[in-house]
Each structure stands twice: as C-alpha cells, then as structure tokens.
Amino acid sequence: MESAMDYHTARALLDWQIELGATEAIGDAPVDRYALPDTTPKVKKAAVSQAAPEKPKQLDPVAVAKAAAQSSGSLDQLRAAMDAFEYCDLKRGARQLVFADGTPGARVMIIGEAPGREEDREGKPFVGRAGQLLDRMLAAIDLDRKQNVYITNVLPWRPPQNRDPKPEEIGMMKPFLERHVALAKPEVLVIMGNISCQAVLGKRGITRLRGKWEQALGLPVIPMFHPAYLLRQPQMKRHAWADLLELKAWLGGK
C-alpha cells in the first residue's frame, strides 16, 4: 500500500511549519490554538503596604551625656564615661582626653575653656606658658594646684586650630562639667575666659563680668581673665590681680 504522502511533500510541509515557528511536535492530531478558550489564570498583584518603614530614632547626645554623667559615682568613673563618649566630633581630632589636674576636694576649683596644643599633648589642663602664668597667679595668693586647687576645662578635647568651641559642643559636654563640679565638691568656682562664662553662667563678655561674684551650680562663682588672654594683653594683669585679691579675701573670710 502506497503512502498517502511522499517523502518530498512531507519534508516540504515540515519545513513550512518550522518557518512558521513550530519547534516541537505535541501530538499526532493538529490543534487549533486560536479556537481554544482563554484559560490562563490571572495573577493577582500583591497588595502594596502603605505603611512606610519606621526610621530609627536618633539619639540625643545631650541626653546620652546626662545619663552617663549621672551614673558616675566618682571622678574616676566620670573620666571613664567621658572617655567613652562618642558623640562629640572634637574627640576624633584630639590626641587624648584632658580631664583635670590638681587636688580633688580642694576649696577652689578653676574651670578653663578648652585644651590647647600643650594640654592636648600632656593630657593636663593649663600647661605651657598659660599654665605657668596661672601657677604664678595662684602662688601670689598662697594657692597651689598640688595642694589646694583643682583644675578642669569646659571641654576635654582640643578644638582644631584652637578655634572657639561651638555652642552645641558646649551644650553637649555641660552635663559632664556639672557632674564634675558635684563630685569634686569645691567651695568656690573660678571661671576663666568667655567660654567658661558661657558654659557656667550662660553669659559672655568677660571684660564686663570679671571680678563680679555670681551664683551657679549651687556655688559662688567669680569670673576672671584667662591666663592666655593676659599673655596677649599684659596691661590687663592689674585687673587679674584685683580679682585674685577678691578671691583671697573670700577664702580668708570663711
């Protein structure tokens, strides 16, 4: 029995199907795909959540400083808390923390502004020429950091190029300063320079404020010129001498 379709015809039909896009044989009987109903399931789009992800809350550096300061029960613990404080950018550019010098528990506590180059190198406040002048000033009224004076700064890290500290830097470190005073327990505070007046009294204008008694942090406070300023303006030393005599009179009357 002869085949209904010869080889050449079958080959021509196969080539024609390949040209139309056929790639494989599904079955022996042809299927009209265009005649089939559309049974393709519709994919439902996933519901888009309207709630935006919550942003992580940023910590308030002042609140962190307050908590760290209040948890410090001693000067050593306070120093460790300040050394661990990572929110002040000044720390990244300084060599080391400048905490304090002198005699803890002394009647007189001096608060300077911020460390300079020498202080940053040695890790102590008021060294170099300004520190030497301060020591002579104190000796003139029978005071000595090794015996009866305790010294610190508003900021424990040196600002770059010895620039003035920014208000946010002062505010950030103020809780540590307040706790420092509370733990040192002095009878009187001597604040030297504009930055110290701003931090302790909330005022600036050392020329107007110097020599006038104020009250802050539960203690009597007397503002004075910073020794570094006196090195630049030696004619102001007579005012500094008058302020020192005022401090000596106050100490003698107690």
Side-chain angles (χ1 to χ4, degrees):
M1 182 177 178
E2 293 184 358
S3 172
M5 184 180 300
D6 62 19
Y7 168 80
H8 297 289
T9 302
R11 178 61 184 266
L13 291 174
L14 181 61
D15 290 341
W16 177 69
Q17 290 182 10
I18 293 175
E19 186 177 349
L20 291 178
T23 58
E24 59 180 329
I26 303 300
D28 294 336
V31 177
D32 185 357
R33 298 291 180 182
Y34 295 101
L36 293 177
D38 186 6
T39 58
T40 304
K42 294 182 179 180
V43 179
K44 294 183 179 180
K45 295 183 179 180
V48 179
S49 175
Q50 299 297 324
E54 292 186 3
K55 294 181 179 180
K57 294 182 179 179
Q58 294 184 348
L59 294 177
D60 179 8
V62 177
V64 175
K66 286 182 179 179
Q70 290 303 316
S71 65
S72 302
S74 67
L75 291 173
D76 287 340
Q77 290 178 2
L78 181 65
R79 179 177 187 139
M82 294 172 67
D83 202 23
F85 188 71
E86 298 293 341
Y87 295 90
C88 185
D89 290 339
L90 294 179
K91 181 179 181 179
R92 296 175 178 83
R95 292 188 178 186
Q96 59 184 315
L97 176 83
V98 178
F99 183 68
D101 194 23
T103 308
R107 297 181 67 190
V108 178
M109 183 173 182
I110 296 175
I111 300 176
E113 298 182 330
R117 183 179 59 184
E118 297 296 329
E119 287 82 3
D120 184 42
R121 180 181 293 118
E122 296 191 26
K124 293 181 179 180
F126 284 96
V127 297
R129 293 181 62 211
Q132 294 168 7
L133 177 56
L134 175 62
D135 289 340
R136 293 196 297 270
M137 292 167 62
L138 296 175
I141 56 171
D142 302 319
L143 293 177
D144 190 324
R145 72 170 80 192
K146 295 180 180 179
Q147 298 178 12
N148 48 20
V149 175
Y150 187 61
I151 306 174
T152 190
N153 281 320
V154 171
L155 296 180
W157 297 292
R158 179 194 180 192
Q161 306 301 320
N162 289 346
R163 65 161 172 77
D164 283 349
K166 300 176 182 178
E168 58 268 27
E169 294 167 345
I170 297 173
M172 191 183 305
M173 301 308 296
K174 187 176 179 179
F176 290 113
L177 178 63
E178 293 174 343
R179 187 61 176 161
H180 204 157
V181 173
L183 292 172
K185 299 179 180 179
E187 295 180 16
V188 62
L189 293 177
V190 178
I191 53 177
M192 292 186 158
N194 263 324
I195 303 303
S196 303
C197 290
Q198 180 179 345
V200 177
L201 301 177
K203 304 176 183 178
R204 291 181 69 97
I206 187 62
T207 303
R208 172 175 46 85
L209 295 171
R210 54 142 291 270
K212 298 176 182 178
W213 287 97
E214 301 269 0
Q215 194 77 15
L217 305 180
L219 294 169
V221 179
I222 185 168
M224 293 187 185
F225 286 127
H226 196 284
Y229 174 77
L230 296 175
L231 289 173
R232 298 191 301 270
Q233 303 290 338
Q235 70 274 14
M236 294 297 184
K237 288 182 179 180
R238 60 187 182 90
H239 297 298
W241 175 239
D243 298 341
L244 289 169
L245 293 178
E246 184 70 22
L247 175 61
K248 182 177 181 179
W250 188 93
L251 293 170
K254 299 293 180 179

